[in-house]
């Protein structure tokens, strides 16, 4: 059950853009070596990933959104209408 | 009398059902209505759409008060899937609800229901630039770089006003004590609520349960693409466990232990600097 | 077994969202947004979603109450209005009309709110009128 849930959650978090920060491993009390290797490996992974993006999100800074709009996937009828040029500049931040 | 009106009339008369849930027009609004034997003449006014309410949710309310009631309702595909799930989760007894299947979309020119699939709303400019387009496919939502994906989802979640509309309208959300209201799980007293936890908790609960009816996304005043998120949830459930939510009468993968683990844990992620 | 759906308007704020009450055996058991209502298009805020709870709340005021010696006592309307009039008159006589303020509510009709401000301005003689939806 744990395995099912964790695997599911790993996929879901990856979809949201948070990958590699959740890990599951079974280690018996006799496997000291494996414990050390896993913890070291996971610490390394986390260090390489850097601080959690949740921190900057808490400050409501979404810096990684590219300015270019994503093309809408639906049929042409779903494309948004062209925006009239109001002359107002919307600050992107 | 249309054939459906005739059929409901007969069902009520013969006692096949005690109460029949469908719609009728009230002051120009299609509203749900419960047809009964005592007021059988009302079946003349029965319509099957175009609005869509969660009739199966009303059926569970009746069933919790009258466990032996025989309930009938008009059912689109999403209603039928929801009924399957509600039976699996013991909210309705098998065979308790009799359905008259109706079409969502009788003609290509005139969509019948207000389902977000049939009449999708185009996403606006700000949403395309900063958020997640609800009309995109799951594959498309996966193509953006992780960091951008994350920021776009967080932008969407940050609009949440914690109205609980997504949970209240959902035909398969029926818990007495909802996790979303537990102060130890979701902090209280601020807006937006704890993101992304609020939305992820609900997303996790929808695994093996959400039947992709889209009512939550319709009801969300902040226009958060919830349906897209839950579609991903059940795509994962299908990929990992081969379980198709709403399809039949088997229990979802998280509620049974299974005989033997057939999966192995994911290896540590070798992360390249994205 | 009697299930009814009653369309209505949310009374919590000036937006006026369309709601649908789910009435099972004469008891209000749920509130839903009205999908086709032009104001809210099937959406509600948390106040609208919980309308049935304030109708069923045991804390709801159902009778006029008068506070005497720190305790509320149930009285009839004539008595309650009489007490209110006496106290208002006394306060106005002692401190002037601007010592009185009138709070009206989104839970009343337009006409009742109009009447209340008229009462404040014309009868009492103050401009101290406020409203819960003056956000
Ligand atoms: S689409 Fe939304 S409302 Fe429908 S079952 Fe899934 S979570 Fe519930
Ligand atoms: S959000 Fe989760 S806990 Fe709350 S009602 Fe839905 S399934 Fe139950
Ligand atoms: S319906 Fe939308 S705004 Fe309301 S609680 Fe759900 S996600 Fe938040
Ligand atoms: S549902 Fe909310 S926004 Fe709508 S009228 Fe009621 S209080 Fe106002």
């Amino acid at each position: 059950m744990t395995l099912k849930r964790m695997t599911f959650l790993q996929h879901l978090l990856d979809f949201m853009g948070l990958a590699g920060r959740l890990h599951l491993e079974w280690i018996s009390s006799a496997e000291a070596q494996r414990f050390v290797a896993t913890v070291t490996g996971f610490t390394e992974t986390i260090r390489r990933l850097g601080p959690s993006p949740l921190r900057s999100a808490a400050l409501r800074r979404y810096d990684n959104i590219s300015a270019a709009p994503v093309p809408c996937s639906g049929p042409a009828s779903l494309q948004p209408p062209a925006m009239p040029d109001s002359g107002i500049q919307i600050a992107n931040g | 009398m249309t054939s459906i009106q005739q059929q409901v009339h007969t069902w009520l008369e013969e006692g096949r059902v005690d109460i029949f849930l469908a719609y009728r027009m009230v002051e120009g609004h299609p509203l749900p209505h419960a047809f009964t034997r005592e007021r059988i003449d009302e079946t003349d006014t029965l319509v099957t759409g175009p609005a869509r309410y969660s009739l199966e949710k009303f059926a569970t309310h009746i069933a919790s008060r009258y466990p032996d009631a025989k309930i009938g309702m008009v059912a689109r595909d999403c209603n039928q899937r929801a009924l399957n799930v509600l039976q699996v989760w013991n909210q309705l007894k098998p065979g308790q609800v009799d359905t008259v299947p109706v079409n969502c979309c009788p003609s290509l020119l005139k969509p019948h229901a207000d389902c977000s699939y049939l009449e999708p709303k185009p996403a606006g400019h700000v949403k395309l630039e900063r958020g997640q387009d609800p009309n995109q496919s799951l594959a498309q939502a996966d193509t953006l770089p992780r960091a951008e994906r994350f920021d776009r989802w967080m932008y969407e979640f940050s609009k949440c006003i914690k109205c609980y509309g997504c949970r209240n309208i959902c035909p398969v959300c029926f818990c007495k004590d909802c996790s979303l209201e537990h102060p130890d799980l979701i902090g209280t007293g601020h807006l937006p609520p704890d993101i992304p936890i609020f939305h992820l908790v609900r997303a996790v609960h929808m695994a093996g349960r959400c039947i992709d009816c889209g009512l939550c996304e319709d009801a969300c005043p902040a226009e958060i693409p919830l349906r897209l998120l839950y579609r991903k949830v059940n795509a994962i459930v299908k990929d990992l466990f081969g379980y198709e939510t709403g399809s039949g009468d088997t229990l979802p993968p998280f509620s049974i232990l299974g005989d033997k683990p057939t999966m192995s844990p994911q290896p540590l992620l070798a992360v390249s600097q994205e | 077994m009697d299930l009814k759906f009653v369309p209505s308007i949310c009374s919590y704020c000036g937006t006026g969202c369309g709601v649908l009450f789910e009435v099972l055996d004469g008891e209000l058991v749920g509130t839903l947004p009205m999908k086709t209502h032009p104001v809210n298009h099937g959406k509600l805020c948390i106040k609208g979603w919980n309308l049935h709870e304030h109708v069923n709340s045991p804390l709801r005021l159902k009778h006029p109450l008068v506070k005497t010696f720190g305790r509320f006592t149930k009285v009839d309307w004539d008595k309650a209005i009489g007490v209110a009039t006496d106290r208002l008159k006394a306060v106005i006589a002692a401190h002037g009309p601007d010592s009185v303020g009138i709070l009206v509510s989104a839970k009343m009709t337009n006409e009742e709110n109009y009447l209340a401000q008229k009462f404040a301005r014309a009868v009492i003689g103050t401009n101290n009128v406020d409203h819960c939806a003056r956000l």
Side-chain angles (χ1 to χ4, degrees):
Chain A
M1 189 58 73
T2 314
L3 180 53
K4 281 183 184 173
R5 282 182 192 275
M6 288 290 277
T7 316
F8 166 79
L9 209 52
Q10 281 163 337
H11 279 85
L12 180 61
L13 289 178
D14 187 19
F15 178 69
M16 251 206 78
L18 284 173
R21 291 176 188 272
L22 188 64
H23 185 65
L24 176 69
E25 188 107 23
W26 267 274
I27 306 170
S28 101
S29 54
E31 296 176 301
Q33 289 279 307
R34 187 155 168 212
F35 180 75
V36 172
T38 307
V39 172
T40 320
F42 193 53
T43 319
E44 246 338 283
T45 313
I46 294 291
R47 191 164 288 146
R48 257 183 295 130
L49 283 167
S52 160
L54 281 171
R55 292 197 187 185
S56 63
L59 303 171
R60 300 262 214 137
R61 283 176 43 213
Y62 309 116
D63 300 334
N64 293 310
I65 298 175
S66 61
V70 211
C72 170
S73 57
S77 62
L78 280 186
Q79 303 294 340
M83 192 148 64
D85 189 8
S86 58
I88 301 169
Q89 293 288 316
I90 301 169
N92 199 11
Chain B
M1 251 194 181
T2 65
S3 60
I4 286 183
Q5 289 170 350
Q6 189 64 56
Q7 188 175 359
V8 174
H9 195 275
T10 321
W11 278 19
L12 285 171
E13 220 168 33
E14 290 175 350
R16 178 161 170 181
V17 292
D18 300 323
I19 190 162
F20 193 93
L21 299 167
Y23 302 90
R24 74 174 176 174
M25 299 302 283
V26 179
E27 312 279 348
H29 294 281
L31 296 181
H33 186 71
F35 297 87
T36 55
R37 204 166 305 131
E38 290 80 55
R39 287 172 277 128
I40 199 158
D41 288 340
E42 287 176 351
T43 47
D44 292 357
T45 58
L46 185 147
V47 291
T48 56
R52 178 175 57 129
Y53 289 80
S54 173
L55 296 179
E56 54 281 3
K57 195 156 194 155
F58 307 141
T60 60
H61 295 168
I62 300 174
S64 68
R65 193 168 290 194
Y66 300 98
D68 295 320
K70 286 176 284 175
I71 306 162
M73 58 179 259
V74 288
R76 300 194 166 108
D77 283 1
C78 54
N79 298 123
Q80 191 57 58
R81 292 196 301 272
L83 285 172
N84 293 346
V85 169
L86 288 170
Q87 267 177 32
V88 168
W89 291 84
N90 295 324
Q91 300 298 307
L92 291 170
K93 283 193 272 188
Q96 182 169 22
V97 176
D98 233 338
T99 55
V100 176
V102 291
N103 211 338
C104 299
C105 183
S107 104
L108 287 173
L109 294 172
K110 183 99 185 74
H112 195 234
D114 61 350
C115 173
S116 44
Y117 271 171
L118 298 173
E119 288 180 80
K121 268 182 284 181
H125 281 267
V126 176
K127 203 172 191 79
L128 289 182
E129 264 163 44
R130 321 221 60 200
Q132 292 279 6
D133 178 4
N135 300 317
Q136 68 189 322
S137 66
L138 285 179
Q140 214 167 0
D142 260 331
T143 50
L144 290 169
R146 285 209 177 89
E148 179 166 350
R149 224 146 76 201
F150 177 78
D151 280 4
R152 282 176 178 272
W153 275 114
M154 288 302 274
Y155 163 75
E156 291 288 356
F157 294 159
S158 73
K159 296 184 294 179
C160 177
I161 60 164
K162 211 186 187 190
C163 66
Y164 292 106
C166 45
R167 176 205 63 186
N168 291 348
I169 201 103
C170 177
V172 294
C173 260
F174 44 72
C175 313
K176 276 234 156 54
D177 290 308
C178 174
S179 306
L180 299 179
E181 286 183 36
H182 198 294
D184 294 342
L185 291 174
I186 316 276
T188 54
H190 49 84
L191 280 182
D194 295 348
I195 54 170
I197 297 300
F198 183 89
H199 301 87
L200 289 186
V201 165
R202 207 177 111 77
V204 171
H205 291 190
M206 286 305 114
R209 227 203 248 209
C210 166
I211 44 91
D212 193 23
C213 63
L215 285 171
C216 50
E217 198 171 297
D218 281 349
C220 180
E223 307 268 340
I224 301 172
L226 297 165
R227 189 175 193 176
L228 183 69
L229 182 66
Y230 306 143
R231 252 163 56 213
K232 176 65 186 184
V233 164
N234 279 310
I236 299 174
V237 169
K238 187 159 177 240
D239 286 349
L240 290 179
F241 314 112
Y243 180 76
E244 191 119 29
T245 310
S247 59
D249 48 7
T250 47
L251 278 168
F254 291 138
S255 57
I256 38 176
L257 279 169
D259 322 331
K260 244 189 210 155
T262 46
M263 320 162 64
S264 47
Q266 286 202 330
L268 269 181
L269 188 78
V271 190
S272 55
Q273 298 292 6
E274 258 187 22
Chain C
M1 195 183 334
D2 178 32
L3 182 62
K4 279 209 186 76
F5 297 96
V6 185
S8 185
I9 305 283
C10 172
S11 54
Y12 260 125
C13 87
T15 308
C17 299
V19 297
L20 193 63
F21 291 124
E22 187 187 344
V23 185
L24 186 55
D25 296 331
E27 186 196 331
L28 194 49
V29 293
T31 314
L32 292 162
M34 224 159 112
K35 288 249 160 185
T36 43
H37 199 274
V39 169
N40 56 327
H41 293 281
K43 303 163 204 293
L44 288 178
C45 79
I46 189 159
K47 296 189 279 178
W49 271 110
N50 291 296
L51 281 177
H52 58 287
E53 298 206 352
H54 91 85
V55 172
N56 293 328
S57 168
L59 296 174
R60 196 175 160 196
L61 284 184
K62 289 176 183 157
H63 314 274
L65 300 172
V66 168
K67 198 172 189 178
T68 29
F69 304 112
R71 287 195 54 184
F72 281 111
T73 29
K74 213 153 103 180
V75 293
D76 59 24
W77 279 107
D78 285 344
K79 180 89 193 305
I81 293 170
V83 171
T85 323
D86 292 349
R87 290 291 297 138
L88 277 174
K89 272 188 187 149
V91 169
I92 293 167
H95 307 286
D98 275 341
S99 58
V100 178
I102 301 277
L103 278 179
V104 289
S105 162
K107 306 199 92 49
M108 308 174 1
T109 61
N110 229 5
E111 290 72 18
E112 285 165 338
N113 279 326
Y114 176 82
L115 214 58
Q117 67 85 29
K118 204 73 185 163
F119 175 72
R121 296 208 164 96
V123 180
I124 296 181
T126 176
N127 284 327
N128 299 338
V129 186
D130 214 335
H131 185 286
C132 67
R134 192 189 60 101
L135 299 171

